[in-house]
Amino acid sequence: MHHTFTLGNYTCTVLNDFARTRSVKQTFPQIDEAELLKEIGLGGYDLTLETEMSLHGNVLLIDTGDQKIMIDSGLPPAGGQLLQSLAEAGIQPSDIDMVMVTHGDGDHIGGLASYSSAKIVMPTNSYKLWTEDTAGMIEEFVKLFRGVVPDQDLENMAAGRAKYAEVVKSLGDRVVMVEMGEEVAPGISFLAAPGHRRDHTAVVVESAGNKLLHVADAWRHPIQLKRHDFYCLFDSYPDQLAKTMESLLEKAAAEDFLVFGAHFDFPALIRIGKENGAFKWMV
Ligand SMILES: [Zn+2]
């Protein structure tokens, strides 16, 4: 599946990588059930703790006219549909000039090897963490699943992240390190958004006065617009995440950004409104 739209002078394409489901309880396992049910009721969401919520994986591609820039690279090809979605959009993996990495999770960097002619653009901080504190970067993810999944799965997760660290170390001159706010192409830059991981970033895209905010994994459900403390199973640093959510939502509402979320329902594009001090999810 793919969806193409225009942002100023840029042509953007949302590429779907996967469409799965998880129950409300599986998504927010650490949140008190009574609290969750109360907020679900107040929000008018047609959900119970057992309701299967969709969990989509989406990748954004920006064609600036000069360059084709992918933000993240999806799952390893065997696990997702990204290459098929790309083919449907008439684009070859070898056409991709640049891959920006928002964070080093498997559903964001698993497909990197498919884009062997692309520059890999990472924030300097993220590059340093992956190369200098590899064990810490593995642990901040794996600890989320200890006691939740079988030990063998934990070992596979750790091995996957260790492999990514090796990939980063071996990129040589293909890696381009940038600072937050530094343009990687006209109007396109990383924005620090820590919490999901300590090096997690958002991306700002601006063209001819039109603005898009790619929030990656900062939030995934409308309930989190009100309750930033409702973190999900996959989030490493809940307190930091709540602050990040607030600042991204404030920015999106104040500056009327089109907002893209990696795990929103395809095509994963919303706007954020604000009414009587409360954020509104607007499709
Ligand atoms: Zn993700």
Side-chain angles (χ1 to χ4, degrees):
M1 279 192 291
H2 72 286
H3 168 74
T4 299
F5 63 100
T6 305
L7 187 86
N9 300 320
Y10 292 173
T11 303
C12 301
T13 304
V14 179
L15 304 156
N16 182 256
D17 189 26
F18 61 88
R20 301 176 183 164
T21 63
R22 289 180 77 85
S23 73
V24 173
K25 189 62 201 155
Q26 284 173 325
T27 305
F28 300 109
Q30 289 95 338
I31 306 303
D32 178 71
E33 290 191 12
E35 275 286 286
L36 201 48
L37 281 171
K38 186 178 123 212
E39 292 293 349
I40 287 170
L42 290 175
Y45 304 112
D46 187 17
L47 301 170
T48 70
L49 293 179
E50 309 310 322
T51 303
E52 290 289 310
M53 287 164 51
S54 54
L55 173 61
H56 289 193
N58 304 291
V59 169
L60 185 67
L61 170 68
I62 303 159
D63 188 342
T64 67
D66 291 326
Q67 300 187 85
K68 289 185 175 58
I69 302 171
M70 271 176 69
I71 303 176
D72 293 330
S73 63
L75 289 166
Q81 305 293 319
L82 184 60
L83 291 178
Q84 288 91 319
S85 296
L86 201 59
E88 277 174 27
I91 298 162
Q92 302 296 318
S94 57
D95 296 337
I96 304 299
D97 300 293
M98 183 190 292
V99 179
M100 295 174 73
V101 178
T102 65
H103 63 298
D105 288 3
D107 56 324
H108 297 261
I109 47 88
L112 272 187
S114 299
Y115 311 99
S116 51
S117 48
K119 293 276 184 201
I120 309 299
V121 183
M122 300 175 68
T124 305
N125 172 52
S126 184
Y127 182 84
K128 281 194 176 156
L129 286 169
W130 276 103
T131 51
E132 293 170 11
D133 184 21
T134 305
M137 295 302 274
I138 293 171
E139 177 60 13
E140 75 168 15
F141 180 80
V142 172
K143 73 176 181 191
L144 298 169
F145 299 90
R146 213 162 268 137
V148 178
V149 302
D151 286 353
Q152 184 59 49
D153 291 3
L154 293 177
E155 283 174 29
N156 292 341
M157 283 175 191
R161 292 178 83 78
K163 192 172 153 201
Y164 173 57
E166 288 310 309
V167 169
V168 169
K169 288 172 192 168
S170 67
L171 282 170
D173 60 5
R174 280 183 65 211
V175 72
V176 177
M177 280 177 267
V178 296
E179 304 308 319
M180 294 296 148
E182 181 181 343
E183 288 191 334
V184 304
I188 304 178
S189 59
F190 284 112
L191 175 69
H196 177 63
R197 303 283 167 262
R198 60 184 138 150
D199 64 331
H200 177 269
T201 63
V203 175
V204 173
V205 184
E206 270 191 70
S207 175
N210 295 271
K211 298 181 180 188
L212 181 145
L213 182 62
H214 182 315
V215 301
D217 287 23
W219 73 85
R220 56 198 72 221
H221 189 270
I223 203 169
Q224 294 173 290
L225 269 52
K226 180 179 175 206
R227 293 295 301 261
H228 307 337
D229 58 329
F230 280 12
Y231 63 102
C232 82
L233 169 66
F234 311 107
D235 297 324
S236 294
Y237 306 103
D239 293 346
Q240 206 176 27
L241 180 68
K243 291 191 188 105
T244 287
M245 271 190 235
E246 180 69 17
S247 71
L248 292 179
L249 287 163
E250 199 63 63
K251 186 176 179 66
E255 300 177 47
D256 194 29
F257 275 89
L258 183 61
V259 175
F260 173 88
H263 300 297
F264 298 168
D265 285 3
F266 179 85
L269 295 165
I270 64 169
R271 284 188 195 267
I272 298 296
K274 205 170 183 189
E275 229 176 57
N276 303 324
F279 295 114
K280 267 180 76 179
W281 178 289
M282 303 191 299
V283 180

